[in-house]
Amino acid sequence: MKIEVSRVSETSVIIYLGHSIDLTLIDKIALFSHTVQNRYHGKLYEVIPSYTTLLIEFHPLKVDAEELITWCQQQVKEILSAKALPSENKLVTFPVYYHPEVAPDLERVAQDRQMTIEQLVKLHSAKEYTVCAIGFAPGFAFLGSVDPKIATPRHNEPRLKVAKGSVGIADQQTAIYPQQSPGGWQIIGNCPVDLFNIDHDPMMPFDVGDKVRFEPVSRERFLQLGGVI
Amino acid sequence: MSGLQVNLAGMLSLIQDLGRFGVAHQGLSSGGPADLHAHCWANKLLENSSNASVLEITMGNASFTALEDMLLSLTGAETAATIDGERLATWRSFVLHKGQTLKLGYAQSGFRTYLAVAGGFDTPQIFGSSATVVRNKLGGLADSQGSPIAKGDIIPVNNLAAKSVTTKSTSQWTPRYFIPKYSDEISLAVIESYQATQFDVEAKQSFYSKPYQISDKSDRMGIRLQGNSVQSGINGVISEGITYGSIQFPPNGQPIILLNDRQTLGGYPKIGCVSRMSLMKLAQARPGSLIHFYRGDIEFETRAYCQFIEFFSL
């Protein structure tokens, strides 16, 4: 595909690395994001990866936009054509209590997919997910992709209140709500671990490109870990 | 505690510095002053660093009493400010003595006033910034969790401020040339980017052809506009990073200009960005104001912004 690097504003450029969501692209974007930050250390305001793009916001007196664009084109070409990539990605496992008492949509999603709750839990916790993007709210990670057998669209009307730690599904994506917030995802479990804590360093346990697994835990273990019912 | 006591907080008063950077990839908004021009002048008048914490007061109607002598400055929206009833000249530094009350009326022209103190307000930094982002529950006074300033608060002032009263007794003022005349009808330069080339030609024309009105549902996340509906004809955009000033079109076709407290990712079609210099004008336009858009030149706008940040050492 044609790599598109283009100026967005006086202080930013965006790089389009693909035109459709593709999990293999996420690792490449994560790697590219790290490479950019190393090369232009102290000269950038933000580097924001997403599914198919990287947005770079730079200091216009410290970075020459043309130089940055030329370098990005070269760099992306190399990264996209590389067979094996050096990976800094880590695997993080989160405990999840899958039970209707913390998961208002669990029974219905299982019913709609014509399976038992056990089968649904098994499918959800069997996969290793990729952190594709972080946004919507602090620490909210879009994880791809769930087994098509359990992919479920969002609620038509978002709930005004989704509990902190809620594990949800929206189409082929899954995520944990770091804070109580409004939200339309189908809630199938709850994770008792803090996902976003400004007193922690780093404040989030993952970055774009990292892998995530869910481990089903008992009610007792959930409460031990600080879970709230 | 010594500092500035808040008697009346106004509609929305927030501690701001230049903003919180290097955190957008974690989903946090930068915050920072909506009007960078007035913010920077408020600090410059006191020989502060441009990043010193100031108070951004929206629509005026606020009042403060000094708990010690302090050197202050006031820029931005005109609010017919007084000290103990005496009219005060703005875009200047001035001394507020212990026990005196600074009062701001409702904003008469412009929307946001900036109140700075020599040495900066003494507010804690989180990820290198005190900038208040209400929706992220970050910034502002200690333990306030990103709340706006409220009646009864005491905004702490660095001790430096008291010293400055004696050492910098001569008033500094902004040269007239740099003081903008705020208007309720403004023109903003648009740098076309993002999906601009994919927009329907007619949709684009309709965007530039008639002015939009600022809706009262606007906030620091985004300025919502009402006017010609623009149907870009673009079928879904994969969520991508959103930069300052991005102009996005939700399905109703009414543009939203994304400001300091914007979400970091978004999937609506975007025609480009309002230029940085134009955004400073926009920050002073009140709900109901008319906005004209024109196609800006990236080189021209970049030069202007570079001059600006050089002048204020940003």
Side-chain angles (χ1 to χ4, degrees), chain B residues 25-39:
Chain B
H25 65 284
Q26 293 167 317
L28 292 175
S29 310
S30 66
D35 180 1
L36 192 58
H37 173 84
H39 165 96

Side-chain angles (χ1 to χ4, degrees), chain A residues 7-12 16 19-20 45-48 50-51 53 55 57 59-61 134 138-139 198 203-204, chain B residues 21-26 28 127 136 191 193-195 238-241 243 265 273 275-276 302 305-306 309 314:
Chain A
R7 192 80 178 267
V8 169
S9 73
E10 299 95 317
T11 57
S12 56
Y16 292 93
H19 292 305
S20 55
Y45 291 117
E46 298 292 354
V47 178
I48 310 178
S50 189
Y51 292 93
T53 52
L55 178 75
E57 297 189 15
H59 191 295
L61 296 179
I134 296 171
I198 55 164
M203 59 181 167
M204 277 169 18
Chain B
F21 298 104
V23 293
H25 65 284
Q26 293 167 317
L28 292 175
F127 308 125
N136 287 165
I191 296 167
S193 57
Y194 284 121
Q195 288 77 34
I238 298 170
S239 274
E240 58 188 12
T243 199
L265 298 177
C273 301
S275 80
R276 301 296 287 248
T302 304
Y305 185 59
C306 284
I309 61 179
L314 301 181

Side-chain angles (χ1 to χ4, degrees), chain A residues 2-205:
Chain A
K2 190 173 148 282
I3 306 151
E4 193 194 326
V5 182
S6 62
R7 192 80 178 267
V8 169
S9 73
E10 299 95 317
T11 57
S12 56
V13 297
I14 193 163
I15 299 103
Y16 292 93
L17 294 93
H19 292 305
S20 55
I21 294 177
D22 167 8
L23 287 189
T24 62
L25 205 53
I26 304 293
D27 287 345
K28 297 183 177 181
I29 292 172
L31 174 68
F32 181 42
S33 167
H34 291 136
T35 314
V36 172
Q37 288 177 67
N38 288 336
R39 181 159 199 263
Y40 294 94
H41 185 76
K43 301 175 179 175
L44 305 178
Y45 291 117
E46 298 292 354
V47 178
I48 310 178
S50 189
Y51 292 93
T52 54
T53 52
L54 190 72
L55 178 75
I56 303 172
E57 297 189 15
F58 58 89
H59 191 295
L61 296 179
K62 295 179 183 167
V63 173
D64 177 70
E66 289 310 312
E67 192 273 340
L68 175 66
I69 288 173
T70 311
W71 180 82
C72 284
Q73 277 161 340
Q74 189 55 39
Q75 199 63 28
V76 171
K77 216 177 276 171
E78 279 171 34
I79 287 176
L80 286 180
S81 59
K83 287 271 174 312
L85 291 174
S87 173
E88 294 172 39
N89 303 334
K90 53 186 184 297
L91 171 66
V92 195
T93 302
F94 292 105
V96 175
Y97 178 45
Y98 296 94
H99 191 280
E101 65 181 332
V102 293
D105 302 316
L106 182 61
E107 283 170 315
R108 201 186 26 78
V109 173
Q111 235 167 44
D112 287 355
R113 305 293 113 187
Q114 293 166 337
M115 59 178 75
T116 63
I117 288 179
E118 290 70 30
Q119 286 168 322
L120 190 151
V121 170
K122 205 172 166 193
L123 285 172
H124 189 255
S125 57
K127 268 198 105 171
E128 191 176 286
Y129 300 102
T130 301
V131 179
C132 296
I134 296 171
F136 172 64
F140 190 100
F142 293 86
L143 305 171
S145 296
V146 300
D147 189 301
K149 290 203 259 317
I150 59 170
T152 308
R154 289 171 176 83
H155 290 286
N156 287 334
E157 282 283 319
R159 284 195 176 90
L160 292 176
K161 242 191 204 177
V162 174
K164 177 184 173 183
S166 290
V167 175
I169 292 178
D171 301 318
Q172 294 218 24
Q173 307 177 96
T174 182
I176 310 171
Y177 282 78
Q179 298 293 339
Q180 179 189 300
S181 75
W185 293 39
Q186 306 281 349
I187 306 306
I188 60 159
N190 192 284
C191 168
V193 175
D194 255 345
L195 280 197
F196 177 80
N197 189 325
I198 55 164
D199 300 326
H200 289 178
D201 184 26
M203 59 181 167
M204 277 169 18

